[in-house]
Amino acid sequence: MKNDLLYASYDQYERIDKSKIDLIELQEFKNIEASNMDILNEKLLDFVGVDGKYMPFTKSVTIKLNNENLKDIEIIDTPGINDPISSREARTEDLLQECDVIFIVSPSGQFLSNEDIVLLDRITNKEGIQEIYIIASQIDNQLYGSEKDKNGGVLPKVLESISEALTKHTQEILNQNKEHLSPDIFKKFFKNDVLYSSGAIYSMLQSFENKQDWDANLQKIWENLNLHYPDYFNDNESAKINLSLLGNIPTIKNILEEVRAEKDEIIERRKNDFIKAKMESLKEYKEEITKDIEQNIEKIESSDDIEEIKKQKNNLLKIKIETSEAVTWKYKDCIDKFRINLKENLNKEINNLFESTQETIYNFENNEKESYTYDHGFLSTKFGSDRYETRYNEVLKVKAIAVRGCLKKLIERIEDLISKEELDKHIIDLKKILLKEIIPVIINKAGVLNIDEHQIERAVRNTIDLIEYQKIDYTSTFPKEIEKGGNLKGTEAEEFMECVYNYLSNFKTKVRKAVEIYISSMIDLLKREKLGENVILNYLRNIERLENDINNKELSLTKYKYILEQLGDIKC
């Protein structure tokens, strides 16, 4: 099974290798200047064109324009989905995660094609998107059909009717794919009506006084507008007003102004969310330190017999090795049981996820009868039989986007299953087991008087905190064959489903193997820790510290109470 991310990287490497270009040569192109957009476009072809000389080296191009409308706004024009350059398609998905507002531009003649629907399917609420707008481009191509006749050739009514039809079509598409969009994203799609625009007509308006410079395409559009809507283009003033109406750029500019106005609010909201998370962490840390210091004060105030403390230390030193080994063995037993239980639980949940996904996908397969005419040959009429017979074949039909949506949900659930948040639940259970099992061992070896459960808990917690969580990301492993959209049937549907089931089988094997490696590395790290030795050393350090604090009781109490006072002044 092809890994898309690795394939994109390999494809880019191959193109770089074949170019035989020295990286030093690229330094002179760090900044490119041009006196007008036509010259700039020509220069950029070497960097962004499919066969551009420097295309494999280009991650992104930043264009700086002296345009007041773009002040404080960064517009990202993504390469799109199904780009011939694999690495650029991967870049598109990365860029979606950085945007606050998304404009999906789709030609009005092929409005919301399968590729557009695939793109909708890839927009999730994880990116924190604030607004989504859909723009129907090339609206000038839709002015001359049934909508014109239906509205009596009244241009504003024709545009209104086209806009309503496009919005209705969009809502139908969204409802058909509702289950594959997050509720929040679905609402944002529905929030705004479809916008229309025409880049060609906007260009005509910009160069209206120089019609002789228009190319053949613009000349043809102008000819059609005057032929079909003569009342709206018979004088320069009316023509400019209606070209502006068709281009609809002022409406889009107003949206950009709204986006700019909301930009500071969006940034402030994200900053507040970040601060809130950090303050929660600080609060937990403050509570933990406060608890430790309060316990130190309590011990100092209640421990007057310095000889008894020295006796505890000497007794602990005598049984240090024996107690340490006993705790370590018990610790390793607990870790082994934890490994077995964690593996069983994760594999059980993984199996359930794959089984439910497969059942759901199976429901998207439908066998429908399709008729065809069978020709018995001209001799059949000679023997009194009908020459033609209607026969039926069962044809497989599949809704590709629904199947892909199920696979995406499966991937998200698998990633959630082995996320830090989920594993923390298992780790909490491990902590409880360790405390339950280890405290009796220490009591048995060291004696009840030497036991401080808080110190044992701290030693256990410090050991568990060594676990490193690695994010496992499977989103880049989607094979190209599953990226089809629309309703598939016949051979195409069969090939699609074969790829889907192969993907599920391979993916399940890959996940189980990854989980096995993940658990093994976690257990190896835990087993390297000498918990018994850590517990005893912590005891000795704490007893020595308590001994020192009692010898300097007044100074120690003053110091700890001062720290408590300072902690109390920290607002969380």
Side-chain angles (χ1 to χ4, degrees):
M1 181 176 66
K2 183 175 73 176
N3 182 306
D4 288 347
L5 184 61
L6 292 178
Y7 177 77
S9 300
Y10 176 75
D11 176 62
Q12 185 177 16
Y13 165 78
E14 285 284 286
R15 291 172 185 270
I16 290 173
D17 187 53
K18 288 177 182 177
S19 71
K20 306 301 180 186
I21 292 174
D22 192 326
L23 291 178
I24 297 176
E25 182 182 341
L26 297 174
Q27 294 301 314
E28 64 177 291
F29 302 115
K30 189 173 182 180
N31 293 297
I32 302 172
E33 294 184 0
S35 57
N36 60 58
M37 291 302 297
D38 291 335
I39 295 174
L40 180 61
N41 286 336
E42 187 176 341
K43 288 184 176 183
L44 288 178
L45 277 177
D46 275 342
F47 298 89
V48 299
V50 173
D51 299 315
K53 183 178 179 181
Y54 305 112
M55 182 278 296
F57 300 89
T58 306
K59 180 179 181 181
S60 63
V61 175
T62 301
I63 300 176
K64 297 181 180 180
L65 300 174
N66 186 19
N67 188 325
E68 186 66 24
N69 293 320
L70 301 178
K71 185 178 179 181
D72 298 328
I73 288 180
E74 182 179 6
I75 296 177
I76 301 175
D77 183 15
T78 65
I81 302 300
N82 289 337
D83 192 282
I85 311 303
S86 300
S87 58
R88 297 205 303 209
E89 181 172 339
R91 179 69 175 148
T92 295
E93 296 199 29
D94 290 341
L95 288 170
L96 281 175
Q97 301 180 19
E98 302 175 12
C99 297
D100 299 310
V101 181
I102 290 180
F103 291 88
I104 297 173
V105 182
S106 182
S108 55
Q110 295 178 309
F111 191 61
L112 293 186
S113 64
N114 283 342
E115 287 186 13
D116 294 325
I117 294 170
V118 169
L119 179 61
L120 303 187
D121 189 40
R122 295 189 187 185
I123 298 174
T124 69
N125 203 40
K126 289 182 180 178
E127 288 84 38
I129 296 164
Q130 305 299 314
E131 294 284 352
I132 301 173
Y133 294 92
I134 300 178
I135 300 177
S137 63
Q138 303 172 17
I139 197 66
D140 52 282
N141 293 332
Q142 307 303 309
L143 298 174
Y144 313 112
S146 60
E147 294 295 339
K148 177 198 168 189
D149 298 335
K150 185 171 67 175
N151 292 280
V154 179
L155 185 59
K157 287 186 176 181
V158 172
L159 284 172
E160 183 181 350
S161 181
I162 292 173
S163 181
E164 288 176 357
L166 291 171
T167 298
K168 182 179 179 182
H169 176 67
T170 300
Q171 291 173 349
E172 289 172 354
I173 292 291
L174 291 172
N175 278 318
Q176 289 171 12
N177 299 284
K178 182 176 181 179
E179 59 190 293
H180 311 300
L181 299 169
S182 71
D184 192 48
I185 290 296
F186 183 78
K187 289 178 184 177
K188 285 171 182 173
F189 270 119
F190 257 87
K191 179 181 176 182
N192 304 305
D193 289 340
V194 172
L195 301 170
Y196 65 82
S197 183
S198 170
I201 286 184
Y202 181 68
S203 296
M204 291 168 64
L205 181 60
Q206 296 298 102
S207 57
F208 188 78
E209 307 301 335
N210 300 299
K211 296 186 185 68
Q212 68 277 5
D213 295 332
W214 288 354
D215 60 23
N217 179 50
L218 297 186
Q219 293 285 358
K220 186 63 178 177
I221 294 173
W222 179 246
E223 179 184 328
N224 286 332
L225 289 173
N226 280 276
L227 177 64
H228 293 274
Y229 297 95
D231 293 342
Y232 296 90
F233 297 93
N234 56 9
D235 63 79
N236 287 347
E237 186 176 349
S238 296
K240 289 180 181 179
I241 291 172
N242 289 300
L243 286 176
S244 178
L245 177 67
L246 289 169
N248 206 27
I249 297 302
T251 301
I252 296 173
K253 284 184 176 179
N254 287 337
I255 290 173
L256 287 175
E257 287 299 323
E258 292 174 7
V259 170
R260 188 187 354 262
E262 291 179 9
K263 175 173 171 283
D264 291 340
E265 182 184 338
I266 293 170
I267 292 174
E268 185 68 20
R269 193 182 310 130
R270 289 182 175 176
K271 183 183 76 174
N272 289 338
D273 289 344
F274 176 80
I275 292 174
K276 182 179 178 182
K278 293 301 179 183
M279 291 301 287
E280 286 294 328
S281 297
L282 177 61
K283 182 180 178 182
E284 291 178 9
Y285 186 59
K286 174 186 171 182
E287 289 174 353
E288 189 175 321
I289 295 176
T290 300
K291 182 179 178 182
D292 286 342
I293 292 175
E294 287 174 343
Q295 287 182 341
N296 287 338
I297 291 174
E298 183 181 347
K299 287 178 182 177
I300 294 170
E301 290 178 336
S302 61
S303 300
D304 296 322
D305 192 346
I306 193 69
E307 293 303 320
E308 180 60 30
I309 292 173
K310 289 180 179 179
K311 183 180 177 181
Q312 286 184 21
K313 183 173 74 172
N314 291 331
N315 288 339
L316 198 56
L317 286 170
K318 291 177 184 178
I319 59 168
K320 173 183 174 183
I321 295 177
E322 182 182 352
T323 305
S324 175
E325 287 181 349
V327 170
T328 297
W329 281 111
K330 178 58 71 173
Y331 169 68
K332 288 184 176 180
D333 286 342
C334 291
I335 296 300
D336 283 335
K337 291 177 183 177
F338 170 71
R339 177 183 60 80
I340 294 170
N341 290 333
L342 180 59
K343 183 178 178 181
E344 286 180 353
N345 289 334
L346 288 180
N347 282 333
K348 182 180 179 180
E349 292 187 62
I350 288 169
N351 286 336
N352 290 338
L353 285 174
F354 274 89
E355 286 175 7
S356 62
T357 299
Q358 193 154 337
E359 288 175 7
T360 304
I361 288 175
Y362 183 77
N363 291 330
F364 288 119
E365 295 182 69
N366 295 309
N367 286 306
E368 297 183 4
K369 287 186 177 181
E370 286 194 350
S371 63
Y372 68 97
T373 302
Y374 179 78
D375 185 356
H376 288 280
F378 71 93
L379 289 176
S380 61
T381 58
K382 186 176 180 179
F383 297 103
S385 300
D386 292 333
R387 175 172 177 175
Y388 299 102
E389 178 188 356
T390 300
R391 292 188 176 182
Y392 297 89
N393 274 338
E394 280 201 346
V395 178
L396 177 66
K397 291 189 177 181
V398 174
K399 191 174 182 181
I401 193 171
V403 172
R404 191 171 57 254
C406 288
L407 295 179
K408 286 186 67 176
K409 285 182 180 178
L410 171 65
I411 291 171
E412 291 173 1
R413 287 171 181 168
I414 291 293
E415 289 176 351
D416 289 341
L417 182 64
I418 45 185
S419 65
K420 181 181 185 302
E421 291 74 17
E422 284 299 313
L423 285 176
D424 270 345
K425 297 175 184 176
H426 298 285
I427 296 301
I428 289 172
D429 291 337
L430 174 60
K431 288 180 182 178
K432 292 177 180 177
I433 292 170
L434 287 175
L435 292 173
K436 181 180 178 181
E437 296 289 334
I438 287 172
I439 288 176
V441 172
I442 298 177
I443 290 175
N444 182 49
K445 295 293 182 181
V448 177
L449 293 178
N450 292 327
I451 292 301
D452 184 337
E453 293 189 14
H454 176 68
Q455 295 304 329
I456 297 175
E457 183 179 346
R458 179 187 292 177
V460 170
R461 184 176 64 244
N462 290 342
T463 299
I464 297 299
D465 286 345
L466 293 173
I467 296 176
E468 296 179 4
Y469 295 94
Q470 296 177 346
K471 179 177 172 56
I472 301 180
D473 183 1
Y474 289 112
T475 54
S476 61
T477 64
F478 239 41
K480 286 284 186 182
E481 294 83 357
I482 300 179
E483 293 292 356
K484 293 181 179 180
N487 295 315
L488 310 179
K489 70 176 184 176
T491 303
E492 188 178 21
E494 291 171 1
E495 291 175 350
F496 176 80
M497 292 310 300
E498 182 180 3
C499 181
V500 167
Y501 288 125
N502 285 338
Y503 170 78
L504 277 172
S505 177
N506 293 331
F507 183 40
K508 184 176 182 180
T509 301
K510 183 176 181 179
V511 170
R512 289 176 69 105
K513 184 177 180 181
V515 168
E516 178 73 35
I517 294 172
Y518 188 81
I519 292 175
S520 295
S521 62
M522 181 194 302
I523 298 303
D524 287 344
L525 178 64
L526 288 171
K527 281 191 171 182
R528 283 199 295 270
E529 287 303 305
K530 300 175 181 179
L531 183 64
E533 187 175 317
N534 291 340
V535 169
I536 301 304
L537 287 176
N538 275 340
Y539 263 63
L540 287 172
R541 280 195 293 266
N542 289 327
I543 289 176
E544 288 170 354
R545 185 182 64 189
L546 180 59
E547 182 182 3
N548 182 66
D549 285 341
I550 292 174
N551 284 330
N552 302 276
K553 187 172 184 178
E554 187 175 338
L555 180 62
S556 297
L557 287 174
T558 301
K559 177 183 68 175
Y560 286 132
K561 288 176 180 178
Y562 175 76
I563 294 174
L564 275 182
E565 183 181 336
Q566 295 299 307
L567 285 171
D569 291 338
I570 298 175
K571 305 299 180 184
C572 299

